[in-house]
Structure formats: structure tokens, C-alpha cells
Amino acid sequence: MKRMDPRLRSTLRDFSRGFAAKREACFQGLDFERLREDLARMKDQAIVRNAELLDRFEARAQRHGSRVLRARDGAEANRLILDVLKEHGVR
């Protein structure tokens, strides 16, 4: 097994020592249960509004020059992607 570069070892050691403390400081005072509940509620609302949100995304993307392709399933998505690659000469 190859030995780790000493500089890399030192950098990783310093990172691991400071990461936990810095992470804890970033999240100090946050109510994770409340955040979880808020995110679950937002997800549920997005599911209900899925068609509307997809239409809105498509309109905005097209305004910016993007082409939006929608597939009914994974097989159709693969075909659409392959078609795009062929259009651009990718082999």
C-alpha cells in the first residue's frame, strides 16, 4: 500500500480536528425538528403543485434559451438523451 503524502496527511488531520467544532457552531441554535417539519410541509405542497411548478420551470428555462424535454419513464428519458447527443454529433 502506498504511503500518504505528509502534506495531505497534515491537511486532513487539521480539517478533521476543526470540522466538528465549526459544524456545531454553524448549526447552534437551530431547531432541527422545526426545520424537518417545515421541509416536509414544503415537499408535500410541491407534490400537490407538481404540474404547475414544472410548467413554470419550463417556461422560465425556455425564456433563457433552454430546451426542456419531458419523459414519461426512464426508457423515454434515455431515448431523448440519445437523440440530443446524436443531434450534436456525439458518438
Side-chain angles (χ1 to χ4, degrees), residues 74-91:
E76 186 178 6
N78 288 336
R79 284 192 300 278
L80 291 170
I81 293 166
L82 186 58
D83 290 345
V84 170
L85 293 172
K86 286 178 182 176
E87 286 175 25
H88 291 278
V90 176
R91 297 193 280 170

Side-chain angles (χ1 to χ4, degrees), residues 12-50:
L12 290 172
R13 183 182 58 243
D14 292 346
F15 170 79
S16 66
R17 287 179 180 161
F19 177 77
K22 289 177 183 176
R23 182 178 187 277
E24 187 175 324
C26 286
F27 293 111
Q28 189 173 16
L30 292 179
D31 181 350
F32 280 102
E33 185 60 27
R34 170 89 187 266
L35 286 172
R36 189 193 66 73
E37 290 168 1
D38 290 347
L39 289 171
R41 188 172 30 262
M42 285 186 264
K43 181 193 74 167
D44 292 342
Q45 291 170 355
I47 289 170
V48 170
R49 298 176 52 216
N50 189 46

